[in-house]
Amino acid sequence: MTDNKNPKTENLLQRPPIVAVMGHVDHGKTTLLDYIRKTNVAEREAGGITQSIGAYEIEVHPLDEPKSRESEANRGIPRQTPRDDFASIRKITFIDTPGHEAFTKMRSRGANIADLAILVVAADEGLKPQTKESIKILEETKTQFVVAITKIDKNNADIERVKNELASNNVLLEGYGGQISYQPVSAKTGEGVNELLDLILLSAEIEHLTYDKNAVASGYILEAKMDRQRGLEASVIVKNGVIKVGEFISTETAKGKIKILENFLGKSAKELSPSSPALIIGFETLPQVGEEFSAVEKTDLPEAGPVNLSSIGQANPLAITKETPALRLIIKASDSGSLEALSGIIKAIAQQKPLKILGESVGDVNDNDVKMAISGKAVIIAFKSKAEKGPKYLADTNKIRIISSEIIYELLKAIDDFLLELEKPAPLGTLKILAVFNQNDPQKQIVGGKVESGVFKNKAQFGIERNDSIIGSGRVVNLQQQKKDAVEVSEGKEAGLLVSSEIMFKTGDLLVIEK
Ligand code: GDP
């Protein structure tokens, strides 16, 4: 093996570009990626893709002469015929980055992992906040990119407007005083997509992307999750060296041995070279999304890192004192990328709001999560993960709320509602009516009750709560404790009251003094 930092030039081989697609939500990133996948992964293989592992590889065949190329593009015929001439096939690896705002963090890592990016801008909408955010990330990470102006088949497509808007955001296209290549495309008709792929290969050539086949294998973690049948699965992208089954592997927080290696189509492989996406089974603990991995000698394996399946989610609920009026959450998500995205947002909210995370982990909601929620008086927030019957029953019988959704914003909305509830001023005192004695005059009703919380005060205004809703208000005309006039009666004590209201009181009514 050679030193990764100083590879011998004679060992250097060309590798395909790793490309991330970025841009505003709904501008067509997924549709474009789908179109490229369908038309450039040979049909019989494409059938094998059951679920994305975060990246896939395509083969691009050279374009014909410009004239026929144009006519083909215009007729919307996708290029599917593989050539016999193997040398003419060139490869591109696409990172399937989630385009949602909530995934900014992963996306910015996507741009780091990627050699090149495609900035997608819809021709009908032009530049939007996430387009600008993407431009910023590309600039900060110094990632080369080409622009795809999408949805050009739409009636209201305005390519010139997009070009001008890009220019005013410092993205200067070729022919517009700059060097950045662009291609108008339609992911619906396929127009321009082959030209876009060619532009990417051209940009990659300029970048001179190489790897050292004798180097220690290394790359990045794209996703990591727990599969019930197969155990911990990490999808990775190889950037240097050649990764092989049986090798020991480590990241800053996790380690293991590659027991199973699969390519992006789910086919087992003995080894994979850059820039291949790969699925690895054999990590002992869950690696973090975006971490770098490398193959290691067994003796070099570090101790297990700080994050592993048994340690996550074991915050000490006892550390939360009863006095702290905070919303306590236990976060669950189907995979580590989703967990990281959601937990990142919740942590940002926690900087400003009374909110504490008692634990976070990958997988379905289990009994331990519910037990932790019971002892920590927490709400369980489950992103793309569910609770099986057992844990759900345990939660229901202990009045533990499990909020589960596939949509991150629904979960954030629920958290917001809980916080609003929490921020409501605590009532000064509540009294439950246990007996009604005299109701001849609604303004002079005589009732008896018990102070349920706080202190109940003479002359106070109160709200009347019946069956969990406020049905009216009233005022204490006279308050007595053990048949003597009292200024206030404290929690747990009984009181007799002369009260005035439009409403006729009933036993069971709760009188709530708010200030
Ligand atoms: P993403 O959020 O950026 O991944 O956007 P999507 O790929 O989900 O696309 C958003 C919407 O735009 C979908 O309804 C697509 O069908 C539509 N769309 C995407 N690309 C095109 C295109 O080239 N032409 C037209 N007419 N519609 C498109």
Side-chain angles (χ1 to χ4, degrees):
M1 285 190 186
T2 55
D3 181 350
N4 278 9
K5 300 271 181 312
N6 301 302
K8 289 189 182 134
T9 39
E10 65 265 27
N11 287 339
L12 292 184
L13 299 172
Q14 274 207 333
R15 66 173 176 84
I18 300 166
V19 178
V21 179
M22 311 190 40
H24 195 72
V25 65
D26 276 349
H27 274 200
K29 296 178 292 294
T30 314
T31 315
L32 181 63
L33 279 165
D34 282 352
Y35 184 91
I36 294 171
R37 176 164 39 203
K38 272 190 215 125
T39 50
N40 290 276
V41 176
E43 195 111 353
R44 111 192 97 81
E45 287 182 302
I49 305 180
T50 46
Q51 74 183 89
S52 161
I53 64 158
Y56 63 87
E57 196 176 80
I58 64 151
E59 291 176 356
V60 186
H61 307 273
L63 294 170
D64 298 334
E65 289 309 299
K67 214 167 155 216
S68 60
R69 163 178 100 185
E70 199 150 278
S71 63
E72 181 178 86
N74 285 343
R75 278 184 284 126
I77 299 170
R79 179 182 300 278
Q80 269 173 329
T81 336
R83 298 276 176 98
D84 291 329
D85 175 10
F86 182 75
S88 68
I89 296 172
R90 297 155 304 161
K91 288 181 174 175
I92 301 175
T93 295
F94 280 99
I95 299 178
D96 231 338
T97 43
H100 204 283
E101 199 166 11
F103 292 84
T104 307
K105 209 166 159 194
M106 251 165 86
R107 191 170 47 184
S108 58
R109 281 184 179 159
N112 276 337
I113 296 168
D115 304 304
L116 297 167
I118 301 176
L119 178 67
V120 164
V121 191
D124 57 341
E125 285 202 342
L127 265 65
K128 290 281 173 185
Q130 287 166 286
T131 326
K132 292 177 188 169
E133 193 185 293
S134 303
I135 294 171
K136 212 168 130 237
I137 292 170
L138 291 168
E139 276 170 358
E140 279 168 11
T141 55
K142 297 194 172 57
T143 307
Q144 293 295 322
F145 64 100
V146 300
V147 175
I149 303 176
T150 50
K151 306 197 188 184
I152 54 164
D153 58 289
K154 290 186 88 164
N155 288 340
N156 54 347
D158 188 348
I159 298 174
E160 288 312 304
R161 185 183 73 157
V162 173
K163 290 178 184 171
N164 287 330
E165 285 179 359
L166 283 168
S168 40
N169 281 274
N170 232 1
V171 177
L172 302 175
L173 302 181
E174 277 172 349
Y176 281 72
Q179 308 252 296
I180 298 171
S181 309
Y182 70 96
Q183 178 64 45
V185 298
S186 163
K188 211 159 199 182
T189 66
E191 184 177 351
V193 175
N194 288 326
E195 286 78 358
L196 176 68
L197 297 177
D198 238 38
L199 268 188
I200 293 166
L201 288 172
L202 210 66
S203 306
E205 251 168 55
I206 299 166
E207 294 284 299
H208 291 296
L209 303 169
T210 55
Y211 75 99
D212 178 357
K213 70 175 168 39
N214 296 321
V216 171
S218 64
Y220 292 94
I221 308 287
L222 287 179
E223 281 176 22
K225 66 171 190 208
M226 179 73 183
D227 181 275
R228 280 212 190 87
Q229 263 95 45
R230 310 207 309 165
L232 288 182
E233 283 185 353
S235 48
V236 309
I237 213 151
V238 188
K239 268 207 127 163
N240 202 8
V242 177
I243 192 172
K244 298 183 184 86
V245 173
E247 269 182 327
F248 291 94
I249 185 170
S250 111
T251 73
E252 208 181 314
T253 65
K255 66 183 172 68
K257 182 182 177 182
I258 306 178
K259 291 182 191 141
I260 297 175
L261 183 67
E262 284 175 0
N263 71 6
F264 75 103
L265 294 162
K267 286 193 184 134
S268 76
K270 285 214 165 64
E271 56 178 53
L272 286 168
S273 56
S275 307
S276 302
L279 191 91
I280 291 174
I281 294 179
F283 270 106
E284 292 164 14
T285 54
L286 208 62
Q288 303 276 287
V289 174
E291 271 187 325
E292 195 169 357
F293 74 83
S294 59
V296 283
E297 296 291 331
K298 189 169 194 280
T299 48
D300 292 343
L301 274 181
E303 285 306 303
V307 178
N308 62 47
L309 273 186
S310 56
S311 72
I312 35 184
Q314 288 195 352
N316 180 6
L318 297 178
I320 313 289
T321 58
K322 196 169 174 251
E323 293 76 46
T324 322
L327 173 64
R328 300 167 185 77
L329 299 178
I330 291 166
I331 310 172
K332 300 288 297 187
S334 58
D335 58 277
S336 59
S338 304
L339 181 66
E340 191 180 2
L342 178 61
S343 134
I345 297 173
I346 294 178
K347 279 175 189 151
I349 298 172
Q351 309 254 313
Q352 291 166 1
K353 301 273 183 182
L355 193 158
K356 283 186 195 305
I357 300 173
L358 300 195
E360 53 179 74
S361 56
V362 170
D364 281 345
V365 179
N366 58 39
D367 281 352
N368 280 341
D369 300 320
V370 180
K371 284 177 194 158
M372 196 197 295
I374 296 169
S375 63
K377 294 197 173 60
V379 174
I380 300 173
I381 299 290
F383 183 29
K384 295 192 278 189
S385 93
K386 288 190 287 294
E388 296 283 353
K389 260 192 187 157
K392 188 164 183 314
Y393 178 75
L394 187 65
D396 287 348
T397 47
N398 286 282
K399 295 202 166 66
I400 291 298
R401 300 282 306 272
I402 301 176
I403 311 291
S404 161
S405 177
E406 304 272 305
I407 302 162
I408 213 159
Y409 285 127
E410 279 184 11
L411 298 173
L412 297 177
K413 170 80 176 55
I415 292 174
D416 218 35
D417 291 346
F418 280 121
L419 284 169
L420 277 178
E421 192 62 32
L422 197 79
E423 282 164 3
K424 265 196 191 164
L428 207 62
T430 57
L431 177 140
K432 188 175 216 160
I433 295 183
L434 300 175
V436 178
F437 299 111
N438 189 327
Q439 287 187 314
N440 292 340
D441 179 354
Q443 303 304 328
K444 287 181 188 161
Q445 303 185 56
I446 299 173
V447 299
K450 185 174 177 183
V451 180
E452 297 244 299
S453 67
V455 286
F456 210 80
K457 297 201 172 208
N458 193 15
K459 309 292 178 204
Q461 297 279 347
F462 54 78
I464 305 162
E465 197 179 306
R466 188 178 293 168
N467 299 331
D468 290 333
S469 49
I470 301 288
I471 55 162
S473 62
R475 194 174 66 86
V476 184
V477 180
N478 187 24
L479 181 71
Q480 291 196 338
Q481 188 174 9
Q482 291 177 334
K483 303 215 161 89
K484 281 188 197 133
D485 285 354
V487 177
E488 59 179 45
V489 177
S490 55
E491 189 172 321
K493 299 283 185 321
E494 293 196 347
L497 305 101
L498 178 63
V499 280
S500 144
S501 173
E502 297 304 319
I503 303 245
M504 291 305 212
F505 294 103
K506 280 188 178 173
T507 53
D509 283 354
L510 200 65
L511 311 187
V512 183
I513 303 176
E514 292 203 320
K515 59 175 185 294

